[in-house]
Amino acid sequence: MGRILKTLLYDGDISLSILDTTDIVNTAIEYHGLTPLAAAALGRTMTAVAFMAASSLKNDDDRLSVTITGDGVGGQIVVCSDSKLHIRGYIDNPRADLPLNSLGKLDVAGCVGKHGRISVVKNLGLKEPYTGSCNIISGEIAEDFASYYTFSEQQPTGMALGVKIGTDYKCVGAGGVVMQPMPGAKEESIDMAEKLLSEFSAVSTLIENGGIEGIVEKFFKDAEFEEYEPRYECNCSKDYVDKILITLGEKELYSSIEKEGKIEVVCHFCPKKYTYFKEDIDVLLGKNGSNE
Ligand SMILES: [Zn+2]
């Protein structure tokens, strides 16, 4: 289970969110067999999406998905969330690997790419989904999401994200800090928020050492927080896969069965596998009993 704490700072001028997504990143590592580099890229994106979901999905059926399509070695990254903050994601190349960058850190920008687009689709119960996109700025993800908010949603945003991977390839600390000025925020509050954000350039180490409580204790002792609990959970189901298979058509389905003996569908987001034999396809197409 991850955690998000939200509050307002400086007389309500700045909204603050603190996220601990360590468990979510560890589930992603377990499901996809991620390298530390791929875990950092996907984990930072999942953290940003957890923030986005907690701040914009209000109704039961609301959901959103974010796609980052860059020219890095990791390929495309896709992360989705629903309003329960059930988050799931994948990266095209889970085995992506590069030497450490010049700062001695995981080269997330090399994994994501420095050129490309970040696209957001929000289904908010309206006729048409809300869509927005912007160019990748640095490929480090926090800056890219901050720029998405500023340019696509006209909401200035400061964001720090981090994922730290231990020697055993497990995530030892992942999370983020996000600050946004409220309408009419005073200039001095914005200045203070900018200064404060610079304290979180190593947010994953802060999470590793003291968890989210450590951050609160050190920086926001007197604040009162609203709490949310995001987690990694896939919503795939046999029903959903049934519907996709039906759209492929009878001919295609039976020809696959003839060639392979079965049809196997593996979920992109979780390790679930859906296997269909000829009898299952018969049932699916309403042909049950026709050959008796
Ligand atoms: Zn799934």
Side-chain angles (χ1 to χ4, degrees):
M1 186 95 74
R3 283 176 82 194
I4 304 176
L5 298 183
K6 280 189 95 156
T7 192
L8 292 171
L9 300 175
Y10 313 137
D11 292 332
D13 274 358
I14 305 287
S15 87
L16 164 80
S17 298
I18 314 169
L19 298 98
D20 178 345
T21 51
T22 311
D23 283 357
I24 293 174
V25 177
N26 273 322
T27 304
I29 291 171
E30 181 196 324
Y31 281 3
H32 301 297
L34 303 171
T35 58
L37 182 64
L42 181 57
R44 285 188 197 179
T45 309
M46 295 189 87
T47 306
V49 170
F51 163 78
M52 190 177 273
S55 55
S56 64
L57 304 182
K58 307 290 179 212
N59 308 304
D60 282 356
D61 293 334
D62 289 358
R63 59 195 194 278
L64 67 80
S65 77
V66 172
T67 306
I68 303 180
T69 311
D71 59 354
V73 297
Q76 199 168 56
I77 296 172
V78 178
V79 177
C80 311
S81 177
D82 62 17
S83 60
K84 294 189 202 89
L85 306 185
H86 294 172
I87 299 178
R88 58 195 187 131
Y90 69 84
I91 179 166
D92 268 352
N93 179 7
R95 306 303 302 161
D97 206 5
L98 287 171
L100 298 179
N101 67 18
S102 57
L103 302 169
K105 304 214 161 175
L106 292 169
D107 187 3
V108 174
C111 186
V112 173
K114 290 176 182 163
H115 305 95
R117 299 288 284 176
I118 162 167
S119 312
V120 176
V121 179
K122 292 181 192 172
N123 291 280
L124 303 173
L126 306 167
K127 246 190 192 153
E128 297 288 325
Y130 166 91
T131 62
S133 72
C134 79
N135 285 326
I136 290 173
I137 301 288
S138 70
E140 294 284 346
I141 297 175
E143 276 177 279
D144 303 306
F145 273 92
S147 144
Y148 163 77
Y149 269 109
T150 306
F151 296 112
S152 194
E153 298 202 8
Q154 284 81 48
Q155 169 64 68
T157 299
M159 191 180 287
L161 301 172
V163 171
K164 194 163 172 183
I165 306 295
T167 45
D168 59 354
Y169 282 28
K170 289 228 169 66
C171 175
V172 293
V177 171
V178 186
M179 289 189 236
Q180 294 178 321
M182 301 299 284
K186 293 182 286 299
E187 207 52 49
E188 70 228 51
S189 304
I190 295 172
D191 288 347
M192 283 194 283
E194 277 172 2
K195 253 184 224 127
L196 184 59
L197 188 67
S198 65
E199 301 270 0
F200 298 103
S201 57
V203 63
S204 55
T205 304
L206 292 174
I207 301 266
E208 179 192 12
N209 293 339
I212 210 164
E213 306 299 345
I215 293 177
V216 169
E217 183 69 23
K218 186 164 177 201
F219 297 98
F220 310 106
K221 223 173 167 169
D222 301 321
E224 278 183 35
F225 291 96
E226 263 178 72
E227 179 154 357
Y228 302 83
E229 292 177 338
R231 60 192 159 108
Y232 197 116
E233 190 163 311
C234 188
N235 64 358
C236 68
S237 65
K238 184 171 178 301
D239 262 10
Y240 178 72
V241 179
D242 282 358
K243 281 186 192 129
I244 294 175
L245 285 185
I246 287 170
T247 67
L248 293 177
E250 185 175 331
K251 218 175 130 194
E252 174 83 33
L253 291 175
Y254 281 119
S255 113
S256 300
I257 290 277
E258 212 162 281
K259 265 186 257 163
E260 317 283 340
K262 61 184 174 182
I263 295 174
E264 217 164 53
V265 180
V266 184
C267 180
H268 272 313
F269 295 96
C270 78
K272 266 192 214 124
K273 224 187 242 175
Y274 298 88
T275 308
Y276 294 77
F277 295 98
K278 180 172 177 299
E279 310 83 89
D280 304 308
I281 298 298
D282 289 343
V283 172
L284 196 61
L285 298 173
K287 304 206 166 214
N288 204 13
S290 63
N291 42 3
E292 274 172 31

